[in-house]
Amino acid sequence: MYLGIEFRALANWLPVAQAVVIGLTYVGLALGSVPGLRMNRATMAIAGTAALIALGTLSLQEAWQAIDPTTIVFLLSTMIVNAYLSYAGFFQLALLYLIRLTSSPFGLLVALTLGCGALSAVFLNDTIALVFTPLTVSLAQTLSLNPIPYLLALAAATNIGSVATLNGNPQNILVGSFSGIAYAEFARVMIPIALIGLLLQIGLLGWMYPEVRSLKPRPYVPTFRPRAYGPLLRKTLIVSSLMLAAFVVGLPLAESALVAAGVLLITRRIKPQRVLQDVDWGLLVIFSGLFVLTRSLQSFNLLSGLLPWIAHPVGLVSMTTLLSNLISNVPAVLLLQSLIDRGDTQSWLLLAVGSTLAGNLTLFGAVANLITAEAAASQGFSLSFWTHLRFGLPLTLATLAIATAWVLWQG
C-alpha cells in the first residue's frame, strides 16, 4: 500500500521535474552560461536532452526523430561552403573592394552597410560578422575614425541583410524547412525589406554620430594584402554560384547545398581537418537539442496559450520579437513553428521578419552583435549594452513596422 502511494507521488512529481528541466535548459541557452559551471550552449543542450530522456519525457528514438534532418544538412553544408570561401580569400577580397570605392567616413559607412548586407543575404550572417569585424576595427583605427558606428553598422547590416533570403541566417533556414516557401518567392518579398532597413540604419547612424557624415576623403587609405588562392577561389565561386542558381530555380535547398559542399570537399589543396574545424559543430548540437526541447514542450500542451497572440499579424511579430530577445531567435522559431499552418505563407514571412530584425534590438539579440562587441573590447573600445540599445531600439521598431506593413500589403 505504502509502495503504491510512493509510486503515485513520484508520478505526480515527474511532470514537474520534466517542466523544470525544460525551463532551466531554455534559461541556460538564453544566458549562454551557467554560474559556477563550465558549460556553453552546446553542452547545456546535450545535458538538457539527456535529462529529459532519463525522466521519460521521450525516448531516445523519439528524440532522434524530433531532429529535422533537412535543417541540419542545410546548415552544415552552408558552413562548409563558407569555410572554403574564407580559406580562398573571398571575404577579404570583398572588403578590400568595398573600401577602395571610397575613403570618406560617410562613404565607408555606406559601403560597409550595403556590402555586408548583400553578403549576408548570400552567406550566413554570422560568417560575415566573424570575418569582417577585426578588419573593420583595423580599418577604422588606420583612418583615425571612431570604430563604434562602423561596428554598429556591421552588426546591424548582417542582421538586416540576412532577412532577404532563406539561407541568410539559421532562423530563415528553419522557416524554409518547415514552410516549403520557394526561395525566389521568399526573396521577392524580403529583398525590399532588407534594402529599406539598410538605408534606415545609414540615416540613423549619420544622425547619432555626426562625424560619419563627412564626405571629405581621409588622407590615407590602408592597403590590405589579402591572401587569395586563385584556383581554389575560382572553384569555390563557381560551385557557390551554381548552388545559388539551384536555390533560385527551385531545387531542394538542403540537397543543393549538400552537393555543393561535397564537390568542394573533393580537393588536393586544403586538408579536410582545416575545413571541418571551421564548421560550428556546437551550433549543430544546439539546433539538435532545441528540436528535442521543442518536442518535449509540445507534450505539455503549453504553447496553445500563444495561439490568440499569433493569430493576429502584429501579435505574431510582437511575440516573435519578445521571445527572440528572451531565449534567442532560433529557439523562438522552433517554439512558434508548430503553431503555424504550413500553407500560411504570410505568417511564415512574419515569423522570419520578427526573428531576424529583432536581433538588432539588444546587444544580446544576435550573435553578430556579441562578436562586434568582443572585437571592440579587445581593441580598447567599449560597445556597451546601452550604446547598442540607443541605436538598436529605434532601428528595430522602425524596421519591424515597415516589414510588417510590407508583408501584409503583399498579401
Side-chain angles (χ1 to χ4, degrees):
M1 177 179 178
Y2 291 110
L3 187 61
I5 294 175
E6 290 177 357
F7 273 121
R8 284 195 296 271
L10 180 61
N12 291 333
W13 279 103
L14 192 58
V16 176
Q18 294 169 343
V20 168
V21 169
I22 294 174
L24 289 176
T25 305
Y26 271 114
V27 171
L29 289 171
L31 295 175
S33 62
V34 178
L37 297 177
R38 292 187 174 181
M39 298 183 72
N40 59 14
R41 287 185 172 91
T43 57
M44 283 185 276
I46 295 175
T49 299
L52 289 171
I53 293 174
L55 291 171
T57 311
L58 70 177
S59 66
L60 179 60
Q61 184 177 5
E62 289 171 333
W64 183 258
Q65 292 173 346
I67 300 171
D68 182 57
T70 301
T71 301
I72 300 299
V73 169
F74 190 12
L75 190 56
L76 170 62
S77 303
T78 305
M79 289 178 180
I80 292 174
V81 173
N82 286 350
Y84 272 97
L85 285 166
S86 182
Y87 275 116
F90 169 75
F91 296 116
Q92 290 188 354
L93 286 173
L95 180 60
L96 175 63
Y97 177 77
L98 289 176
I99 64 176
R100 280 180 174 174
L101 292 176
T102 178
S103 60
S104 71
F106 184 73
L108 289 173
L109 177 67
V110 173
L112 188 65
T113 298
L114 297 182
C116 290
L119 288 171
S120 296
V122 180
F123 310 103
L124 283 176
N125 60 337
D126 291 346
T127 300
I128 305 303
L130 279 169
V131 175
F132 275 35
T133 295
L135 298 177
T136 300
V137 173
S138 176
L139 172 65
Q141 287 182 310
T142 304
L143 295 176
S144 300
L145 297 171
N146 177 13
I148 297 301
Y150 296 97
L151 288 173
L152 288 172
L154 170 62
T158 57
N159 291 325
I160 294 174
S162 70
V163 80
T165 63
L166 284 172
N167 61 308
N169 56 54
Q171 59 269 23
N172 281 7
I173 290 175
L174 286 171
V175 169
S177 298
F178 292 133
S179 68
I181 299 175
Y183 188 93
E185 174 63 16
F186 186 93
R188 181 189 68 81
V189 177
M190 295 300 205
I191 286 176
I193 294 173
L195 288 174
I196 294 173
L198 293 172
L199 294 176
L200 275 176
Q201 83 161 54
I202 293 172
L204 183 58
L205 285 170
W207 175 73
M208 292 176 58
Y209 296 91
E211 65 269 26
V212 305
R213 303 175 199 164
S214 174
L215 297 175
K216 183 179 179 180
R218 306 301 285 189
Y220 172 68
V221 178
T223 303
F224 286 96
R225 297 183 180 275
R227 297 177 60 186
Y229 301 94
L232 180 62
L233 181 60
R234 286 191 291 271
K235 175 186 176 182
T236 308
L237 286 177
I238 291 172
V239 172
S240 301
S241 299
L242 291 174
M243 179 186 73
L244 294 173
F247 292 166
V248 172
V249 300
L251 294 179
L253 300 179
E255 288 86 339
S256 300
L258 180 61
V259 170
V263 171
L264 290 176
L265 287 169
I266 304 173
T267 180
R268 297 177 299 168
R269 302 184 183 280
I270 297 182
K271 293 181 180 180
Q273 298 92 326
R274 294 183 62 187
V275 174
L276 295 180
Q277 74 182 6
D278 278 356
V279 172
D280 192 343
W281 299 103
L283 182 60
L284 296 176
V285 171
I286 293 170
F287 263 70
S288 301
L290 285 170
F291 278 118
V292 177
L293 281 174
T294 304
R295 178 66 62 84
S296 301
L297 190 60
Q298 289 172 351
S299 66
F300 287 88
N301 198 31
L302 298 176
L303 297 180
S304 58
L306 299 178
L307 283 173
W309 284 88
I310 69 170
H312 191 277
V314 176
L316 173 57
V317 173
S318 301
M319 181 57 63
T320 304
T321 301
L322 176 62
L323 289 175
S324 294
N325 279 276
L326 288 177
I327 61 174
S328 190
N329 42 29
V330 170
V333 170
L334 281 171
L335 280 177
L336 297 176
Q337 58 84 21
S338 61
L339 305 177
I340 300 176
D341 293 334
R342 181 179 173 88
D344 189 356
T345 300
Q346 185 180 89
S347 293
W348 287 111
L349 292 174
L350 291 173
L351 181 62
V353 161
S355 60
T356 299
L357 298 181
N360 285 327
L361 181 59
T362 69
L363 187 62
F364 307 111
V367 174
N369 303 343
L370 297 175
I371 292 171
T372 54
E374 290 297 320
S378 67
Q379 299 293 332
F381 298 95
S382 176
L383 180 54
S384 67
F385 177 89
W386 297 110
T387 299
H388 185 278
L389 184 65
R390 176 171 168 258
F391 164 69
L393 179 60
L395 179 65
T396 301
L397 293 178
T399 52
L400 282 175
I402 293 171
T404 302
W406 174 258
V407 171
L408 293 178
W409 184 71
Q410 292 293 304

